[in-house]
Amino acid sequence: MTFQLILNLLIGVIWMFLSESYSFASFIVGFVIGAALLFLLNRFIPDSYYFKHVRAILYLIFLFIRELLLANIEVLKWVYKPKLDFQPGILALPIDVKKNWEITLLANLITLTPGTLSVDVSRDQRYIYIHALDLPDVNETIVSIKESFEKAIREVTR
């Protein structure tokens, strides 16, 4: 991945010099040409195409923004209900991510989403304990988190 990124940046700089236009726009045009060339010649390069990771990162960002907006709307509904009928609870989320920064990222994404809070990570780093403002079905919540945030984090890192 690093080799491809460096090569792509180098192609952008070379394009800038060949076109004799030393502007940021010229560099971007060269960078896009380099990305297209790397995509076309990807089968000759042993690493996977690095834009795959960029796409996964963008997907994770948009997923978080979507979940953030939906959770804010849900919390807003709870605040304006005349009768508070939610079921708070704590659950143990079994996690498949292994690296410390992956666990930290998952815990932070859960905490930053309104209505949920990462309380603790187990000593063996196999569970994250989460407090949820409304927890009607524990298994549904676990599957939801694993299929959204955890899956997106694994796509970024692997």
Side-chain angles (χ1 to χ4, degrees):
M1 182 174 115
T2 307
F3 169 73
Q4 289 183 5
L5 180 61
I6 292 170
L7 185 62
N8 199 359
L9 291 171
L10 185 63
I11 291 170
V13 171
I14 290 172
W15 177 264
M16 201 170 58
F17 286 120
L18 288 176
S19 65
E20 294 181 4
S21 174
Y22 308 107
S23 66
F24 184 69
S26 178
F27 172 76
I28 292 297
V29 168
F31 187 81
V32 169
I33 290 171
L37 284 173
L38 284 173
F39 179 74
L40 292 173
L41 300 172
N42 190 34
R43 63 183 158 163
F44 301 112
I45 300 172
D47 293 337
S48 65
Y49 186 54
Y50 79 95
F51 251 58
K52 173 182 149 191
H53 295 286
V54 172
R55 248 192 334 248
I57 290 169
L58 291 175
Y59 173 74
L60 180 61
I61 291 169
F62 286 122
L63 173 69
F64 173 68
I65 291 171
R66 186 191 75 181
E67 291 294 325
L68 181 69
L69 291 174
L70 291 175
N72 274 312
I73 291 169
E74 209 47 47
V75 169
L76 188 65
K77 287 179 188 176
W78 291 328
V79 168
Y80 284 113
K81 275 185 179 178
K83 181 182 176 212
L84 298 176
D85 58 348
F86 52 86
Q87 302 167 344
I90 295 180
L91 65 106
L93 174 73
I95 54 176
D96 297 326
V97 291
K98 301 295 181 210
K99 298 176 185 166
N100 283 337
W101 72 271
E102 293 173 333
I103 296 169
T104 303
L105 179 61
L106 179 60
N108 285 333
L109 289 175
I110 291 168
T111 298
L112 289 172
T113 306
T116 56
L117 175 69
S118 299
V119 179
D120 195 15
V121 177
S122 65
R123 289 203 183 274
D124 60 359
Q125 295 184 337
R126 292 178 44 205
Y127 295 94
I128 295 179
Y129 297 100
I130 301 169
H131 178 273
L133 191 58
D134 188 24
L135 194 59
D137 185 10
V138 174
N139 291 330
E140 181 183 322
T141 305
I142 289 173
V143 169
S144 171
I145 293 171
K146 289 185 83 55
E147 289 297 317
S148 60
F149 288 139
E150 189 173 9
K151 183 178 176 184
I153 291 171
R154 283 194 318 265
E155 288 176 10
V156 168
T157 60
R158 298 180 182 135

